[in-house]
Amino acid sequence: MDCPMNQFEAGLGKSLVCIEYPGRVVNVDKMISTLGGIRNISTAYCEKNRRLELRFRPDDVFCKPACGDKQQVSAVLLKVKVRRRKSDDQIVKVKTNVVGKINSVFRFTNLCDFQYLSMHAPPNDLTKMECIYNTLVPDGIVPLSWINKPAMYFLPPAAFSRMDTVQGYMYRKDAPSEAAVPHNIIGRTRRRRSIHAVFVNFDVPEIPNQPREMALKLLQVKFLEDLHLNVVKKLFEERPVWSKYALMCKTNYTSDQMKFLLPTVAYYFVTGPWRVMWVRFGYDPRKDTSARIYQTLDYRLRRKGGMTTKVKAKRSYTNYLLPYKLTPACQAKVALLNKELPYSDMEATAKSKNDSEYRESNYMFTPGMVPPSRQMFYQYCDVQVPEIQEMMQKLPLPLPDFKCHERDGWLPSGFADQCREIINNLVIETLKTVSPLTDETSSSEATTSRKLEGLSDSSDSDEQDEEDEIGEWEVDEDDLQEDDAI
């Protein structure tokens, strides 16, 4: 084989994407159409965890696709040309070229979803099936009368099965206390996963004073030492009410670690002025007027001024994708180790400033910043707005016979609305100054689209170069024939 080193290195300079098509390709254009075209192939390649869809009937909108998963590989695409004599079919010369290197490959190794054809059996002959596709899907631009024509009831689901891989099903045992659960309760099959935490409503007579024994035992199971527990206890001694994310920013502990540490030092308020907050065991904020600075401020971004288009939502139903379009991103969870925990002040300060500022913005609000989500749960002590803090200081102390309100707590009625209006005005002023960022985002999207178009253009030019190269081989000798293999 003739494969010089310079040709080998030149071929490795081109990166390619491999698609292991589960079929015999005769017509390349039809093969690409079954994959949704160049644009859909580019989308599956550029987006993270996106799967490549293969529809064996691309003209049928009811066709369920077979999905290919993207995998990282280290491979090389070779182009082999074999020259033979026409007289005795003997190999004369073999030439090998490196076309490019392959880093990503799409493989169709999963099962295809159930197919449901648009067929109907007429009442007069149940043994004969008729196609009703033309009555369901319009062919081009149709008149208004086509919509008023009668059609069969044919509404198959978007996906019959959520999974296309073989799963080992684990059957559940019958719940022993099923008879004790009322039948009119919604969500009877999904119980709260409390990790042995104590959940408290506002109207509870007495607050808990100590954690559950199982919560303390889980610390040893999850490899959490007394050092971690003492750090959290010290923070609750300084401040009796915390949000989970505020503690994560103060301690640099992960969410999974806080999930087991918090139930050992605090209880969780489900309703009331301190809802979604963790309160130290033995401390009752309903009896302490100074606990008003720890109350929850539920701030939600308003829709005026296009604010919701500039702040990302936690969940978006407009960009919903069917389950089979994405590769499962979850992985098996392992035991929590302490490799990310800061054991000294030097390791704690080694974190980058940009990362700490970003993390603080998830529980603290300061003028000049934009909330990271459209709904935020702040504590009044973490709202670092001078106007709001001045309002808090000027509030008079409640009368001795005043009881803590279930909605307003120790604050007067309407105080939360005034704070939301102040924060809302600050956010609007900040968004006016950062509005040029949207132009940069649109320009980057345009650049990405041009790259995708360039991908299709480059593939066409590569095919043209290969055709010209093959033509040069054919005119060398008349008595030789070639066999190309890739």
Side-chain angles (χ1 to χ4, degrees), residues 328-447:
C330 59
Q331 299 179 357
K333 293 186 178 181
V334 297
L336 302 175
L337 301 179
N338 355 348
K339 62 179 181 180
E340 297 182 357
L341 302 182
Y343 298 106
S344 62
D345 296 337
M346 296 178 60
E347 295 184 10
T349 55
K351 297 289 184 179
S352 62
K353 295 182 179 180
N354 296 332
D355 184 43
S356 61
E357 291 176 357
Y358 169 76
R359 292 170 64 88
E360 288 181 355
S361 64
N362 285 268
Y363 77 95
M364 184 181 297
F365 181 83
T366 56
M369 62 164 289
V370 178
S373 301
R374 298 181 186 176
Q375 183 180 10
M376 298 294 299
F377 292 100
Y378 295 115
Q379 289 181 272
Y380 285 96
C381 59
D382 293 331
V383 181
Q384 302 298 326
V385 179
E387 186 177 356
I388 296 179
Q389 294 299 324
E390 185 179 357
M391 293 168 54
M392 293 288 295
Q393 295 176 2
K394 291 183 178 180
L395 287 176
L397 294 176
L399 299 176
D401 57 345
F402 182 80
K403 293 184 179 180
C404 184
H405 194 267
E406 183 176 0
R407 185 189 64 183
D408 301 325
W410 298 111
L411 298 175
S413 179
F415 186 84
D417 296 335
Q418 296 180 11
C419 295
R420 295 189 189 101
E421 187 66 27
I422 295 173
I423 297 176
N424 201 66
N425 294 334
L426 293 174
V427 173
I428 292 176
E429 294 297 329
T430 304
L431 289 176
K432 289 180 181 179
T433 60
V434 299
S435 58
L437 293 177
T438 55
D439 299 335
E440 298 179 2
T441 304
S442 61
S443 63
S444 62
E445 293 177 355
T447 305

Side-chain angles (χ1 to χ4, degrees), residues 76-93:
V76 177
L77 180 63
L78 299 178
K79 186 174 184 180
V80 182
K81 291 187 177 181
V82 180
R83 302 178 66 183
R84 302 174 183 269
R85 280 198 185 95
K86 293 183 179 179
S87 57
D88 54 359
D89 198 25
Q90 185 177 357
I91 297 176
V92 177
K93 187 177 181 181

Side-chain angles (χ1 to χ4, degrees), residues 3 61-63 65 79 99 131 136 160 197 239 337 345 378 408:
C3 184
V61 298
F62 301 106
C63 178
K79 186 174 184 180
V99 180
C131 180
L136 302 173
F160 288 97
R239 173 171 156 182
L337 301 179
D345 296 337
Y378 295 115
D408 301 325

Side-chain angles (χ1 to χ4, degrees), residues 17-117:
V17 181
C18 177
I19 300 176
E20 296 184 359
Y21 193 82
R24 181 170 175 264
V25 178
V26 178
N27 191 320
V28 178
D29 295 334
K30 291 184 178 180
M31 182 268 295
I32 294 178
S33 65
T34 58
L35 297 174
I38 294 295
R39 182 171 295 274
N40 287 344
I41 297 175
S42 302
T43 302
Y45 174 74
C46 296
E47 294 186 7
K48 184 180 180 181
N49 296 331
R50 191 65 181 267
R51 311 178 81 183
L52 183 61
E53 300 179 14
L54 169 61
R55 301 178 186 272
F56 292 99
R57 305 188 309 277
D59 298 332
D60 188 359
V61 298
F62 301 106
C63 178
K64 305 298 180 183
C67 298
D69 297 326
K70 182 169 62 174
Q71 302 176 4
Q72 300 298 325
V73 296
S74 297
V76 177
L77 180 63
L78 299 178
K79 186 174 184 180
V80 182
K81 291 187 177 181
V82 180
R83 302 178 66 183
R84 302 174 183 269
R85 280 198 185 95
K86 293 183 179 179
S87 57
D88 54 359
D89 198 25
Q90 185 177 357
I91 297 176
V92 177
K93 187 177 181 181
V94 178
K95 184 176 181 180
T96 305
N97 294 328
V98 178
V99 180
K101 61 180 180 180
I102 301 174
N103 298 325
S104 301
V105 58
F106 287 92
R107 289 172 176 163
F108 297 84
T109 58
N110 299 329
L111 300 174
C112 188
D113 199 3
F114 299 97
Q115 305 290 329
Y116 197 83
L117 302 179

Side-chain angles (χ1 to χ4, degrees), residues 15 47 65 95 99 109 132 144 159 189 239 255 287 304 322 362 370 379 389 433 462-463 469:
S15 298
E47 294 186 7
K95 184 176 181 180
V99 180
T109 58
I132 58 175
L144 183 61
T189 59
R239 173 171 156 182
S255 177
K287 299 179 181 180
K304 66 177 183 179
L322 293 172
N362 285 268
V370 178
Q379 289 181 272
Q389 294 299 324
T433 60
D462 294 341
E463 293 177 359
E469 187 179 2

